[in-house]
Amino acid sequence: MTFQNNLYTIVSDTLIPEGRKKVYRIRLIPESIIFKAHFPGEPIMPGACIVQMVQELATDWIGSEVEIAKVSNLKFLNVISPDAILELNVALEVKKEEASQIHLKADLSESGVDYTKMSLILNII
């Protein structure tokens, strides 16, 4: 299951070429089965879903399917709940690029509040 259009939608994206960065504006779908199951009455986005969402957005940006080789420096700084916040910025920045791998930094934030930060190594499939 892909989470795009099931857990979130892309509202917009902005490419910042000089920094090898792209910022996605996403909107959560409060009616998603994931929010209903995790947790009923007090929905929060599971950490695994946040990581997969970043992988999906990286695939969208790169234009090729990617798989996660490694996740490091993963920090959940604030809870993402559709009851509290409906839209987020997801900033992806390429730190290093090789023939078949991309080292990526991802930051999820909104209005000066950081929600999640992580570094990933992605294999291009």
Side-chain angles (χ1 to χ4, degrees):
M1 169 188 202
T2 60
F3 292 144
Q4 186 174 346
N5 299 321
N6 289 306
L7 180 64
Y8 71 94
T9 58
I10 297 172
V11 175
S12 64
D13 61 72
T14 305
L15 182 62
I16 304 167
E18 61 276 0
R20 302 266 323 189
K21 187 174 185 177
K22 190 166 195 175
V23 179
Y24 286 88
R25 181 81 177 160
I26 62 150
R27 182 170 182 77
L28 302 178
I29 301 172
E31 304 80 25
S32 171
I33 188 69
I34 293 169
F35 287 129
K36 290 180 182 178
H38 195 265
F39 295 100
E42 294 183 39
I44 62 171
M45 185 180 292
C49 294
I50 295 170
V51 174
Q52 183 175 331
M53 179 177 65
V54 168
Q55 177 186 3
E56 289 179 15
L57 293 172
T59 293
D60 178 79
W61 179 20
I62 295 163
S64 295
E65 191 72 29
V66 296
E67 66 181 8
I68 297 172
K70 181 178 181 181
V71 178
S72 60
N73 301 319
L74 179 56
K75 297 176 183 155
F76 299 108
L77 304 167
N78 286 291
V79 173
I80 298 173
S81 170
D83 288 348
I85 186 166
L86 282 177
E87 291 191 3
L88 286 166
N89 291 316
V90 181
L92 306 178
E93 183 176 5
V94 174
K95 300 309 260 179
K96 181 179 175 184
E97 193 169 356
E98 299 169 349
S100 61
Q101 279 193 335
I102 294 178
H103 297 240
L104 193 72
K105 179 181 171 202
D107 296 307
L108 285 73
S109 64
E110 176 56 28
S111 301
V113 177
D114 292 324
Y115 287 89
T116 305
K117 293 179 176 283
M118 70 183 86
S119 297
L120 302 101
I121 296 175
L122 303 170
N123 292 329
I124 301 171
I125 302 174

